[in-house]
Amino acid sequence: MSKGRFSHLEDRLERLIEGSFTRLFRGSLSPRDVALALARAIEDHVALDETGVETAPNRYHISLNPADHNALLSRAPDLAEQLARQVVVYCQEAGLSLAQHPEISLSADEQIEPQQLRVEASHNLAQHEATQILQPLEPQPPTTPRRPAEPQLIVDGSRSVPLTRDIFNVGRRPDNDLVLDDPRVSRHHLQLRLRYGRYVLYDAQSRGGTYVNGQRTTEHILAPGDVIQIGSTSLLYMEEDPTGMHGDTQSDMHPPPTSDDEPSYE
């Protein structure tokens, strides 16, 4: 599936979930975060069936912080089925197949921070059920994916690298979009993904970690002026600002702890 198609369909999923669950999630989770997690799970697990048709996962497991889990289910015992219906509509609009109606389960996990969640997706390939291509419930007007204005990374204050792809990989290996000759940077260190018109940073299970504005992070929505530190390399995220309203870049960032061990993430 083309990444441009996903970019604007994610906007649709966000609107669907916000429209249905804004009151329900208030005080616990953001509907936008739920939409992001579900869309990412679908995107990462789209598969081709034996006829070459793009098929979405039909099983989803959502892990929540216990407090969020209890609060949500007390207000909406049928939350799993409600979310499943939103996934169906999303797949209809994306032109994706589903082997059967999506199954969504929810569980409490003390490892999940409050107001966070984790979504795992998989395919249940039923042998006796033919894959059916879902048809849209109603025609949808075409939408144009939003993009930041001239996004770029400034490497160590001297080299500008434009972000021209919706998925942008950074690391030591030559197959990355940005290759860094830094022994403290992992082979595949981090990934930037365009989501809802913003680039989102994901740490790729790097050994040395990823720091944004001095704070170690595994996931971060980038804003102009954010300073990303990986290994001995500093990356400044910038966008064109037609209004000239962006503030100064933070200059008091504390560097992450150093290590003599070379990362070995595969």
Side-chain angles (χ1 to χ4, degrees):
M1 164 169 289
S2 71
K3 303 197 173 46
R5 197 162 109 207
F6 262 121
S7 294
H8 74 265
L9 285 168
E10 285 167 357
D11 289 336
R12 173 62 179 166
L13 181 57
E14 179 185 3
R15 290 194 296 272
L16 284 170
I17 289 182
E18 282 192 332
S20 299
F21 301 110
T22 297
R23 290 184 179 180
L24 175 62
F25 288 133
R26 184 176 299 160
S28 52
L29 293 169
S30 162
R32 177 188 172 115
D33 291 338
V34 178
L36 180 91
L38 279 171
R40 185 183 179 196
I42 293 171
E43 175 183 351
D44 287 346
H45 293 85
V46 167
L48 297 178
D49 67 8
E50 63 277 3
T51 65
V53 174
E54 292 176 319
T55 305
N58 50 21
R59 283 188 173 176
Y60 302 84
H61 183 73
I62 301 177
S63 300
L64 303 162
N65 177 270
D68 291 330
H69 177 268
N70 295 337
L72 289 172
L73 291 187
S74 67
R75 283 177 275 174
D78 63 340
L79 176 60
E81 179 54 33
Q82 291 188 54
L83 287 172
R85 289 196 290 268
Q86 304 305 320
V87 170
V88 168
V89 176
Y90 175 79
C91 291
Q92 289 172 335
E93 302 212 2
L96 295 173
S97 299
L98 280 168
Q100 59 189 44
H101 188 76
E103 299 177 12
I104 294 185
S105 58
L106 301 99
S107 68
D109 186 341
E110 293 183 353
Q111 300 299 315
I112 305 296
E113 295 293 327
Q115 300 186 21
Q116 300 294 320
L117 76 161
R118 182 178 65 244
V119 178
E120 299 169 279
S122 62
H123 291 262
N124 178 26
L125 302 178
Q127 295 181 351
H128 302 295
E129 293 183 359
T131 299
Q132 298 179 346
I133 299 179
L134 302 173
Q135 298 301 319
L137 298 177
E138 59 184 46
Q140 297 297 325
T143 58
T144 301
R146 297 171 294 172
R147 294 191 61 87
E150 299 186 14
Q152 58 186 297
L153 294 175
I154 310 298
V155 183
D156 287 331
S158 61
R159 176 163 61 107
S160 175
V161 179
L163 301 177
T164 57
R165 301 187 179 195
D166 291 355
I167 297 180
F168 191 90
N169 295 294
V170 178
R172 283 191 296 119
R173 284 188 51 154
D175 57 349
N176 288 285
D177 299 295
L178 173 58
V179 180
L180 298 175
D181 184 17
D182 182 340
R184 292 179 52 229
V185 169
S186 295
R187 293 173 175 87
H188 291 103
H189 200 107
L190 65 84
Q191 184 178 87
L192 305 181
R193 294 191 181 204
L194 188 63
R195 293 285 183 271
Y196 309 106
R198 302 280 297 278
Y199 273 101
V200 182
L201 178 152
Y202 299 99
D203 179 80
Q205 301 179 15
S206 64
R207 173 174 291 186
T210 297
Y211 294 76
V212 178
N213 302 328
Q215 300 296 317
R216 185 163 184 165
T217 185
T218 58
E219 183 173 329
H220 178 81
I221 300 175
L222 289 172
D226 279 347
V227 178
I228 306 163
Q229 187 79 27
I230 56 175
S232 301
T233 303
S234 176
L235 306 172
L236 173 65
Y237 176 75
M238 294 297 295
E239 299 172 7
E240 180 185 3
D241 180 18
T243 66
M245 296 297 291
H246 288 327
D248 295 334
T249 301
Q250 297 185 24
S251 59
D252 58 349
M253 184 192 73
H254 298 289
T258 59
S259 170
D260 296 330
D261 296 332
E262 181 175 347
S264 58
Y265 173 71
E266 296 295 342

